[in-house]
Amino acid sequence: MKARETVPGQQEWLVLTKLPGVGSARLAEIAAAAPDWPAGWLARLPHQAATMLRHWLDHPGRSPLTEALEADRAWLMAAPGRHLLHPGHPAWPTLLEQIGDPPPLLWGVGDLAALEPPGLAIVGTRRPTRDGLANAARFGRELASRDWCVVSGLALGIDGAAQQAAIEAGGRSVAVLGCGADVIYPPRHGRLYHQLLDHGGLVLSEYSPGTPARSGFFPRRNRIVTGMSLGVLVVEAAEKSGSLVSARLAMEQNREVFALPGSINNPQARGCLQLIRQGAVLVRDVDDILEELSHWAAAVGPMVASQAPDTEGGSVADPLLRWLSDSPSPLDALVNLTGLSVPDCQRRLLELELEGRAAQAPGGWVRLPETV
């Protein structure tokens, strides 16, 4: 019999995604209840899924799930830079835990350090105007220069232009695909796919390696693009556009939505004008975005520095201290960024204060200088 754990690990999450009749929404609902593994999960799963899981737990050598698990492990071990993220993994994007239907797993190719800077999604039409392409590149480039990560779907048009510019500016970019993370889609972006990986970027997908692109996967992909980002910028979009779907998802996820204004005579600008009428923030430059996200920016500032080793016994690895800087960070922002509950966040802040490593200030909490 397999050894029992208190929470699902990587292998257990893989098994859960392979159970019949259990989708991502059901897994998220069960995970939110934080049941013990495996008894609590077995009690909440549908009968057929629970029976299959119990068989794997008790007799893994005879379970049909084992062969699939071995194939997944073989893919992960076949080349460097391959990853499988799950809730509880150190690199899991905790912002995804705030959305209604988070992915149970994320397959990745590339550098997980791309998840450390704050992320902003940039989306738009696949058939942009010349001005639209120039604006996408400008915002991608300027965000990269401010140590922000551009998150998008590697799609033709606005998405790819923003990601290309971010990479060329020396920044990082995360691409979320509607196919396996090892599948280059669209094929025309093969060069961009490899450039992104060669320059410290990361490709993510909730679909298993080798899964081909399908039209139904892209709306699902969009909820991850917006869900793991602090906000979404729509550069150009027609009135009936997939980018507006992303904007609506972002609103439902309580993310800030930004839109570039355009000419009323440009069909590709009408979606943005519609978003602005509905309450999206009109932006002229990157400063408009960062000003609106200032309450987040104070908290995400030290993320890049947090990669450095800590001389005081690993304090920057602290799940809360790494988000603090000398600019006050509000409690609600820290709760969102860390994924901690409010009581746990308050308790840890008090501990840091007693240790002389953090303090309350007008507007939030700050990190105190290390003493020698």
Side-chain angles (χ1 to χ4, degrees):
M1 180 181 292
K2 282 181 57 61
R4 275 18 181 190
E5 304 289 343
T6 56
V7 296
Q10 181 187 87
Q11 182 172 246
E12 288 75 23
W13 273 107
L14 268 173
V15 168
L16 288 169
T17 62
K18 299 180 186 302
L19 297 176
V22 184
S24 60
R26 184 65 176 271
L27 289 177
E29 179 185 346
I30 298 175
D36 287 339
W37 176 266
W41 283 81
L42 287 167
R44 289 169 170 81
L45 286 167
H47 176 72
Q48 184 181 3
T51 300
M52 184 172 287
L53 175 59
R54 187 177 290 107
H55 183 240
W56 175 77
L57 288 165
D58 294 339
H59 308 288
R62 300 204 298 265
S63 170
L65 296 171
T66 299
E67 183 177 351
L69 290 176
E70 291 300 326
D72 290 335
R73 282 196 287 265
W75 182 86
L76 288 167
M77 299 297 293
R82 294 184 174 185
H83 314 282
L84 180 59
L85 307 183
H86 57 85
H89 188 286
W92 179 256
T94 55
L95 285 172
L96 288 175
E97 296 173 7
Q98 300 174 14
I99 70 177
D101 185 14
L105 296 173
L106 284 173
W107 298 87
V109 179
D111 191 343
L112 293 178
L115 294 171
E116 294 179 358
L120 187 86
I122 299 183
V123 300
T125 178
R126 289 170 172 77
R127 292 179 291 277
T129 65
R130 183 180 302 176
D131 283 345
L133 283 175
N135 284 328
R138 176 167 65 93
F139 277 84
R141 184 168 51 250
E142 292 184 11
L143 283 165
S145 72
R146 307 286 188 93
D147 294 324
W148 281 65
C149 176
V150 172
V151 183
S152 200
L154 208 73
L156 299 173
I158 295 299
D159 299 32
Q163 294 187 279
Q164 179 82 57
I167 294 166
E168 292 176 352
R172 296 182 185 269
S173 185
V174 172
V176 186
L177 304 186
C179 53
D182 58 343
V183 176
I184 298 175
Y185 190 88
R188 284 169 54 187
H189 271 173
R191 182 170 175 269
L192 177 56
Y193 178 98
H194 290 294
Q195 277 185 317
L196 185 146
L197 295 180
D198 291 343
H199 291 81
L202 180 66
V203 179
L204 295 174
S205 175
E206 66 179 315
Y207 303 107
S208 301
T211 302
R214 298 173 189 166
S215 58
F217 289 169
F218 295 104
R220 301 280 297 161
R221 177 272 309 272
N222 292 344
R223 85 192 194 284
I224 301 175
V225 170
T226 57
M228 65 183 294
S229 304
L230 298 180
V232 56
L233 169 64
V234 184
V235 175
E236 266 191 343
E239 287 181 297
K240 295 182 179 180
S241 166
S243 301
L244 299 190
V245 174
S246 294
R248 284 194 292 271
L249 284 170
M251 292 175 182
E252 292 170 2
Q253 296 165 349
N254 294 318
R255 302 295 187 263
E256 199 69 66
V257 177
F258 305 93
L260 284 182
S263 169
I264 59 173
N265 298 315
N266 175 12
Q268 300 290 27
R270 290 176 186 167
C272 289
L273 295 175
Q274 177 182 328
L275 286 174
I276 292 169
R277 288 190 63 192
Q278 293 171 348
V281 178
L282 185 155
V283 297
R284 302 154 298 176
D285 52 39
V286 166
D287 287 331
D288 288 338
I289 295 175
L290 300 187
E291 180 180 351
E292 199 70 27
L293 295 175
S294 59
H295 62 294
W296 293 101
V300 299
M303 293 183 69
V304 175
S306 72
Q307 300 174 48
D310 179 61
T311 58
E312 297 295 325
S315 68
V316 291
D318 186 285
L320 183 56
L321 190 63
R322 64 178 299 195
W323 295 98
L324 295 177
S325 68
D326 56 2
S327 298
S329 301
L331 177 64
D332 59 346
L334 293 171
V335 168
N336 287 331
L337 289 166
T338 62
L340 296 171
S341 67
V342 172
D344 286 344
C345 192
Q346 290 174 323
R347 186 180 307 110
R348 183 59 188 139
L349 286 168
L350 178 59
E351 292 171 352
L352 291 172
E353 185 176 32
L354 292 172
E355 294 167 9
R357 299 159 77 188
Q360 265 191 296
W365 288 80
V366 296
R367 180 175 176 174
L368 296 177
E370 299 286 355
T371 57
V372 179

